[in-house]
Amino acid sequence: QLQLVESGGGLVQPGESLRLSCVASGSTLDEYTIAWFRQAPGKEREGVVCITNSNYGKRSTYYVDNAKGRFTVSRDNAKNTAYLQITDLKPEDTAVYYCAAAWGCSNVAPAYVYWGQGAPVTVSS
C-alpha cells in the first residue's frame, strides 16, 4: 500500500521560497497521479496542482489562481518523490500542505485515495 510523507514545511517570511517534498513508499510513485492540496486555518481543503505519471507525460494542472507563476510541481520517479516549489510566499499561502495520490488529475479531495500527514507552512514576518 502506498504511503506518503511530506517534509519541507516551516515558518518563512513573505517573499521567501521553499520546496515541499513528498516521499512515497510501499509502492511505485509513478503508478499514480500526484496532487498537492492545502488547507488554511478555518477553510476547506483546496487543490493546488496535480501532475500525471510518466505514461501521461508528467503533465501538470494548476487549480489555484495565479498558482502557475509561483508554484511549480515536479516529480522524480527514480527517487519516488514529488515536489512542490513555492516562490514569493505570501501570508495567504499559510496552510497545511498535503500530497495525495490517485489515478487521474482532479482538484476534488475525495478523488484521492492516499494522503500524507501534511506539512505546515506559515508565512509571517
Side-chain angles (χ1 to χ4, degrees):
Q1 182 169 338
L2 185 70
Q3 295 180 327
L4 303 172
V5 178
E6 301 97 336
S7 63
L11 174 63
V12 296
Q13 294 190 350
E16 294 185 337
S17 302
L18 61 71
R19 186 177 76 165
L20 302 175
S21 299
C22 172
V23 179
S25 62
S27 187
T28 302
L29 192 65
D30 203 27
E31 295 180 3
Y32 303 90
T33 286
I34 297 298
W36 288 91
F37 284 77
R38 66 182 181 181
Q39 188 164 18
K43 295 187 177 181
E44 293 186 354
R45 194 170 298 189
E46 66 172 348
V48 177
V49 60
C50 75
I51 183 168
T52 61
N53 62 17
S54 297
N55 287 341
Y56 291 91
K58 296 185 184 179
R59 286 191 293 269
S60 57
T61 302
Y62 292 85
Y63 298 115
V64 175
D65 289 343
N66 301 317
K68 192 172 184 179
R70 298 191 297 117
F71 293 70
T72 303
V73 66
S74 61
R75 60 193 302 164
D76 185 339
N77 293 321
K79 295 182 178 179
N80 236 25
T81 302
Y83 304 96
L84 181 66
Q85 176 85 29
I86 313 173
T87 60
D88 189 22
L89 277 152
K90 305 177 185 303
E92 53 264 39
D93 294 321
T94 294
V96 178
Y97 285 74
Y98 300 87
C99 64
W103 291 276
C105 268
S106 171
N107 64 340
V108 177
Y112 290 84
V113 177
Y114 303 104
W115 289 84
Q117 82 288 354
V121 173
T122 301
V123 184
S124 175
S125 55

